[in-house]
Amino acid sequence: MKNIESQNIPKLDGNFDKDLLQKAAKEFGTPLYVYDLDRIQEKYEQIKAAFGGRKTMICYALKANSNLSVIKKLASLESGADCVSLGEIQRAILAGIPKYKIIYSGVGKQEFEIKEALKYGILFINVESKEEMLLVEACAKELGISARISVRVNPDIDPQTHPYISTGLKENKFGVSIEEAKALYLLAHNSKYLEPVGIHFHIGSQLTKLKPIAESAQKIAQLTHSLLALKMDIKFFDVGGGIGITYSDEVTIKPYDYAQVILEELRGLDLTIICEPGRFIVGNSGIFLTKVLYQKEHQNKRFVIVDGAMNDLIRPSLYNAYHQIVPFVESQDVSPTDVVGPICESGDYLGKNISLPILQNGDLLAVLSAGAYGFSMASNYNTRPRCAEVAIEAKKMRLIRKRESIEDLIALEKDYL
């Protein structure tokens, strides 16, 4: 162990105080997700206020964290919802999001999903290809209705983020080119069963630079002007989401600056701006609690083995993502440590070469910034039940999803033995 006086060891803040977290771990066990609903409200209000008096709809991206209690909290703040599956649409409605504030995105919508979305009467469907538009048209014709749609346009702009979460380049699977978008809008405009009401772009997640956002908004605004000149009744300008958060030492985008670069490009366009933040609202509003099981050293390599694993929080394994890990033991005597889980994969880790003090088996570790793409990407790999979720609001704690059991995992299989 060595003494590192100057090291900036991460600290817990906000509602994430040690006493409350220790109480949560004791009552609900570990591994465990804990969400600060007060901070979720604060982040939502920040992005809403950034657009000032402009007509704006904030549609929370459910894929970041789809817990019903989290969605319900945002519904109480008058949020809309950006959904990428029929299941997410149904979650949004169940949690209280009005149907007219729900957008349906995603590249692989199936026919039954499109039909159900149209029956619900959601705000509009973001169309990602000509084939999809023709299917939406056919579904609308079968139902005897006009389908409100938007086209997702790929501006071919480098978002300067991780390649796995980049969505705005021509080599990405999302959306259509500007030229193809023009053709699709003309097709929709001339269709009896399609009503083009919006235009959409989303260049990626965890964005920390304003320039790609400004360039994309400029391109899509120019396209919008040309569509309006053709007498198309475009009402919504959907800028997607993607504002990054701080995991380590990232310099992030301020909501006001984000709004201003978009508003600058929309001068002369009297449209409702739709913004779809997910990570920005919930990312730093959640933590992952895990307990030390064992410790060992192998050829001067120190390992701390915990009960949390890649099936609970896959971002480190999948993206090589960094999450700050906070020990509940306060000490400056630290050494480089890999925090690893019980799964039989060498890629099962929560942190590598991070500085941790001497720990005892049973000690808690808090993995920070785990509110987005944590539980929502969790799996049952190695037949591991998914963990419980807890919410903290006004310093009070409550269970919002109970821990799964082995019985839950085999319920859909055991009758077929």
Side-chain angles (χ1 to χ4, degrees):
M1 305 295 283
K2 56 184 177 179
N3 186 271
I4 307 178
E5 293 291 350
S6 61
Q7 179 175 315
N8 182 23
I9 295 178
K11 302 288 185 183
L12 295 169
D13 61 357
N15 280 346
F16 298 136
D17 64 88
K18 289 183 179 179
D19 289 341
L20 200 55
L21 293 177
Q22 286 172 332
K23 180 181 177 183
K26 183 176 180 180
E27 185 171 347
F28 303 111
T30 57
L32 180 70
Y33 277 100
V34 183
Y35 310 123
D36 181 348
L37 297 188
D38 295 319
R39 183 173 293 180
I40 286 174
Q41 177 171 341
E42 175 189 329
K43 303 301 285 186
Y44 173 85
E45 291 174 344
Q46 282 180 12
I47 194 68
K48 180 72 174 177
F51 286 93
R54 287 295 298 265
K55 292 185 293 185
T56 311
M57 184 184 300
I58 307 300
C59 290
Y60 168 66
L62 264 68
K63 61 182 177 289
N65 185 324
S66 59
N67 183 280
L68 288 174
S69 293
V70 170
I71 306 169
K72 183 178 179 180
K73 176 65 178 180
L74 289 161
S76 74
L77 302 173
E78 301 184 347
S79 175
D82 169 48
C83 302
V84 293
S85 69
L86 178 60
E88 286 192 350
I89 292 173
Q90 292 167 333
R91 276 183 175 269
I93 294 170
L94 183 60
I97 302 284
K99 296 173 185 176
Y100 63 86
K101 287 187 177 182
I102 295 175
I103 296 164
Y104 186 18
S105 305
V107 298
K109 308 178 192 74
Q110 297 190 62
E111 182 176 349
F112 78 92
E113 294 179 303
I114 292 170
K115 286 180 179 178
E116 287 302 308
L118 292 174
K119 289 176 185 178
Y120 280 131
I122 63 172
L123 182 60
F124 59 76
I125 294 175
N126 270 324
V127 171
E128 300 249 7
S129 66
K130 182 178 180 179
E131 285 194 7
E132 184 186 324
M133 177 176 280
L134 293 175
L135 179 57
V136 172
E137 182 183 42
C139 291
K141 181 178 181 180
E142 182 180 329
L143 295 172
I145 61 175
S146 178
R148 291 184 296 273
I149 62 129
S150 170
V151 175
R152 179 168 181 172
V153 185
N154 186 323
D156 194 23
I157 297 290
D158 184 359
Q160 299 178 42
T161 188
H162 192 287
Y164 284 12
I165 50 179
S166 167
T167 60
L169 287 166
K170 61 185 179 183
E171 58 260 35
N172 299 137
K173 68 179 181 178
F174 299 94
V176 298
S177 69
I178 288 176
E179 288 306 312
E180 187 175 357
K182 291 177 182 177
L184 292 184
Y185 275 107
L186 285 171
L187 188 158
H189 184 60
N190 293 320
S191 172
K192 180 181 177 181
Y193 299 100
L194 297 174
E195 182 184 355
V197 298
I199 191 164
H200 172 58
F201 72 93
H202 173 67
I203 61 172
S205 189
Q206 186 56 11
L207 305 177
T208 58
K209 307 291 184 185
L210 282 170
K211 185 179 179 182
I213 298 168
E215 290 175 347
S216 300
Q218 182 183 56
K219 277 190 172 184
I220 308 307
Q222 289 172 350
L223 174 58
T224 306
H225 279 292
S226 66
L227 298 177
L228 292 171
L230 294 172
K231 306 300 181 183
M232 296 189 195
D233 191 17
I234 305 297
K235 301 180 178 70
F236 302 99
F237 191 89
D238 188 342
V239 301
I243 304 179
I245 64 170
T246 299
Y247 287 99
S248 176
D249 55 2
E250 297 93 339
V251 178
T252 55
I253 297 170
K254 294 179 181 178
Y256 176 81
D257 295 337
Y258 170 75
Q260 289 306 303
V261 298
I262 292 170
L263 293 174
E264 178 66 26
E265 302 302 336
L266 290 185
R267 287 190 177 187
L269 289 172
D270 183 24
L271 303 174
T272 296
I273 300 167
I274 294 177
C275 182
E276 302 168 352
R279 187 193 312 265
F280 176 80
I281 291 176
V282 296
N284 291 140
S285 303
I287 66 169
F288 179 64
L289 275 183
T290 187
K291 180 177 66 177
V292 176
L293 298 178
Y294 308 103
Q295 301 172 75
K296 68 178 181 180
E297 288 196 20
H298 178 63
Q299 294 183 348
N300 297 319
K301 180 73 173 181
R302 182 186 177 205
F303 295 95
V304 169
I305 302 159
V306 296
D307 60 359
M310 63 185 288
N311 77 294
D312 302 302
L313 180 60
I314 198 172
R315 295 190 72 255
S317 300
L318 182 61
Y319 302 131
N320 195 29
Y322 173 79
H323 288 262
Q324 293 182 335
I325 299 180
V326 179
F328 280 51
V329 176
E330 294 185 5
S331 172
Q332 291 293 327
D333 293 322
V334 299
S335 65
T337 307
D338 284 6
V339 178
V340 300
I343 281 180
C344 291
E345 299 277 351
S346 294
D348 179 25
Y349 66 92
L350 300 178
K352 285 189 173 183
N353 292 316
I354 63 169
S355 297
L356 286 179
I358 296 173
L359 298 168
Q360 301 297 321
N361 294 355
D363 282 349
L364 292 176
L365 297 175
V367 183
L368 306 188
S369 306
Y373 306 104
F375 189 92
S376 66
M377 295 181 75
S379 75
N380 296 121
Y381 186 44
N382 282 193
T383 307
R384 284 174 54 88
R386 286 180 295 175
C387 61
E389 295 175 286
V390 167
I392 296 174
E393 190 170 17
K395 301 294 183 181
K396 294 184 179 179
M397 176 177 69
R398 60 187 174 90
L399 184 68
I400 57 174
R401 191 183 197 275
K402 70 178 183 178
R403 188 176 306 278
E404 289 178 342
S405 67
I406 296 298
E407 281 299 315
D408 293 327
L409 270 57
I410 65 174
L412 301 179
E413 304 169 40
K414 61 182 182 181
D415 290 342
Y416 300 96
L417 288 172

